[in-house]
Amino acid sequence: DLVVLQCFPKAIDEAGAPKQLAMRVKEYEGLVDYVVIDQGGMLLDPIFAAAHLYALTADVQTSIGVVLAGGLSAQTLSRQIVSLASNYRFSIDAQWNLRNEKDLLDIDEARLYLLMADNIFRKYMEV
């Protein structure tokens, strides 16, 4: 079983800075497997994500895996994560941009998203 710690904007804002959030996350080492950095319904900002990835992996050096979330879809994925994938190891999350107007999973959109993610991660990360 995996345990995931979700860091929504309130927790991120309360921490004040990426390094402070990373220090708080490190307190969960051994208890959680992943931390989700989620900007809460906003499109993932690569600069924001890079600051948090650096804080978690270089400054604080936690062994907790990082998941990035924030409006990712096949259309936004390459703009949002390519610059990060060549420098950091992380996972991604997608939810609301893979849904149709009836709020159901759009299988075609999900398929495109997974293909795009697979291509990016194979190109930039050792998978």
Side-chain angles (χ1 to χ4, degrees):
D1 293 338
L2 295 175
V3 178
V4 178
L5 173 65
Q6 184 93 13
C7 290
F8 287 114
K10 184 176 180 183
I12 294 167
D13 289 344
E14 285 177 2
K19 186 172 183 178
Q20 278 63 42
L21 181 68
M23 290 172 22
R24 288 183 181 179
V25 167
K26 189 165 179 72
E27 294 175 17
Y28 291 90
E29 209 160 47
L31 301 172
V32 302
D33 300 293
Y34 291 91
V35 59
V36 179
I37 304 299
D38 190 340
Q39 292 185 265
M42 295 174 25
L43 185 59
L44 179 71
D45 175 358
I47 295 170
F48 169 90
H52 284 84
L53 285 165
Y54 181 83
L56 287 159
T57 61
D59 275 349
V60 176
Q61 298 179 356
T62 181
S63 63
I64 297 171
V66 180
V67 179
L68 300 177
L72 298 175
S73 68
Q75 291 74 33
T76 63
L77 200 55
S78 63
R79 286 190 313 259
Q80 304 314 113
I81 71 162
V82 166
S83 63
L84 302 170
S86 59
N87 296 308
Y88 302 100
R89 292 193 58 78
F90 59 92
S91 299
I92 53 175
D93 170 85
Q95 185 179 353
W96 55 269
N97 266 349
L98 301 184
R99 298 189 166 283
N100 62 24
E101 56 280 344
K102 294 180 182 178
D103 199 29
L104 300 172
L105 180 65
D106 182 325
I107 298 298
D108 291 331
E109 184 63 32
R111 183 178 293 114
L112 286 172
Y113 172 79
L114 292 172
L115 288 170
M116 177 70 72
D118 183 59
N119 286 337
I120 291 169
F121 285 135
R122 286 182 190 277
K123 182 175 181 179
Y124 293 100
M125 291 185 182
E126 294 178 25
V127 182

